Amino acid sequence: MVIPNQKVHLPLLEEKDVTLYIKREDTVHPFVSGNKYRKLKYNVIEAKKREYTGLLTFGGAFSNHIAATAFAGKEAELKTLGVIRGEELIDNWQENPTLKQAKEHGMEFHFVSRSDYREKDSTEFIKKLEALFGDFYLLPEGGTNTLAVKGCEEILNETDTDFDFICSCVGTGGTVAGLINSSKLHQTVLGFPALKGDFLKQDILKFAGNKNWELISDYHFGGYAKVNENLIDFINTFKKETGIPLDPIYTGKMLFGIFDLIKKDTFKKGAQILAIHTGGLQGIKGMNLVLKKRSLPLLDV
Ligand SMILES: *Cc1c(COP(=O)(O)O)cnc(C)c1O
């Protein structure tokens, strides 16, 4: 699956003599994040090969990974079970666009409290789930494991070797690890974490070498799924000017960061940048519900 790169035309880029292309992995599917789909590809093959009948995974109420797992499971004729953070959702999950969509794709939910959710990696917790739901192929939260990284190594292809910089959002780090592994040594991979945390570097090193990459940690906007008016305004303006929609949790923050770095002349003249649009657009509806409650401006849809 080779996804085209789209050139971005904006006055600032000309003024600074920087070229920016966006790999439109968001076009893989209207509500399945491009990178989540890639992360699931080899895991689904493995689950089938080992004759599992179901996938089980974890996520919050707006999780792109939950949405993608539901869809991939349906496609592969595997049952899907989502362990969802937040007991309060038991009575009103229907109001949550991500969960509603996942349910339509056949996912069953198991809602747990925030404190139980924190135990999700313990053997005891997994044993309890097995007692409840039988044998299943287990995917970690966010979907990152060795097979997921292998899938993300397929994002870059032969035509991408001319770029000086490859930019990606970072959640658990699986996607950027795949990009690091398949990038060339003359390229620099820049990861833009969407959350606060010093653990990310170590997490990435579990799956990728310590070579041509760095994390740019200045653009998480206070933490995971935290947003402010500046960010919303940037996303809406970017869409108006380029036609490219961005999500508020990952890609919006990364592109905000890339443009800020361009403004500050961080990239040399003539630099060629490729930013990976990992998708996440299914999360816009849910974020707008949150913004509305907080009387903040909404994201254009
Ligand atoms: C999950 C996600 C990421 C982060 O991917 P990781 O492999 O967890 O680092 C980036 N962008 C979008 C849209 C995502 O859904």
Side-chain angles (χ1 to χ4, degrees), residues 50-219:
R50 285 160 54 190
E51 297 184 346
Y52 281 98
T53 54
L55 304 172
L56 181 142
T57 196
F58 312 91
F62 299 104
S63 164
N64 293 324
H65 171 62
I66 287 291
T69 303
F71 180 78
K74 186 183 157 102
E75 242 191 2
E77 293 176 3
L78 290 166
K79 280 184 285 188
T80 53
L81 182 76
V83 177
I84 310 294
R85 181 180 61 227
E87 273 173 324
E88 73 281 3
L89 289 157
I90 288 177
D91 298 322
N92 58 6
W93 61 265
Q94 290 91 338
E95 292 159 32
N96 176 291
T98 303
L99 297 180
K100 210 169 142 223
Q101 188 81 250
K103 186 74 170 189
E104 278 164 22
H105 287 135
M107 185 176 265
E108 293 294 323
F109 301 131
H110 178 61
F111 295 97
V112 298
S113 68
R114 280 168 172 70
S115 59
D116 280 354
Y117 191 83
R118 276 194 286 275
E119 303 301 316
K120 66 185 178 307
D121 295 324
S122 73
T123 1
E124 220 175 283
F125 189 81
I126 303 295
K127 282 233 174 78
K128 256 193 235 161
L129 290 173
E130 277 171 348
L132 279 172
F133 303 106
D135 216 14
F136 44 73
Y137 185 89
L138 185 72
L139 292 158
E141 182 185 39
T144 291
N145 57 17
T146 307
L147 290 176
V149 172
K150 178 178 168 184
C152 292
E153 288 170 4
E154 296 175 355
I155 295 174
L156 293 178
N157 58 68
E158 284 310 309
T159 62
D160 297 326
T161 52
D162 287 343
F163 289 102
D164 305 304
F165 295 94
I166 314 285
C167 299
S168 170
C169 322
V170 177
T172 60
T175 304
V176 80
L179 292 167
I180 293 165
N181 291 344
S182 58
S183 65
K184 305 289 177 199
L185 272 177
H186 68 267
Q187 302 180 301
T188 303
V189 178
L190 300 178
F192 291 77
L195 62 163
K196 279 198 263 190
D198 299 330
F199 50 87
L200 280 172
K201 183 149 198 221
Q202 290 312 316
D203 286 355
I204 294 166
L205 285 170
K206 283 180 206 155
F207 298 104
N210 194 4
K211 45 169 199 170
N212 54 332
W213 61 277
E214 60 182 287
L215 293 181
I216 313 278
S217 303
D218 304 326
Y219 302 102

